[in-house]
Amino acid sequence: MIIVQLSDIHVGSQFQESVFDKVVDEVNALKPDAILITGDLTNEGLSKEYEKCKKLISRFD
């Protein structure tokens, strides 16, 4: 069983989408059985940040 844990992705003003793109590629290549995302999902807790976060994490297989 392969489990991937990601933490503190902090979607917001300082978020680096190009780095996250690489993370998505690497995680999907592992074909994990589960992905756990812990820590802070957004920088400021704004609705628009959560909406973007939802869109970004939907890219994981």
Side-chain angles (χ1 to χ4, degrees):
M1 175 177 272
I2 297 174
I3 299 172
V4 170
Q5 188 266 333
L6 304 171
S7 183
D8 298 294
I9 58 177
H10 288 278
V11 174
S13 60
Q14 297 178 345
F15 182 72
Q16 295 183 18
E17 196 159 346
S18 62
V19 174
F20 190 80
D21 292 343
K22 292 177 186 178
V23 170
V24 169
D25 291 342
E26 289 183 14
V27 169
N28 287 341
L30 292 171
K31 300 186 185 305
D33 298 294
I35 301 171
L36 306 173
I37 303 175
T38 60
D40 299 324
L41 297 176
T42 69
N43 271 350
E44 295 152 5
L46 302 173
S47 294
K48 67 180 182 178
E49 292 174 341
Y50 281 108
E51 288 299 319
K52 183 172 182 175
C53 183
K54 181 179 176 182
K55 181 181 173 184
L56 290 166
I57 64 174
S58 72
R59 295 174 45 210
F60 290 111
D61 294 336

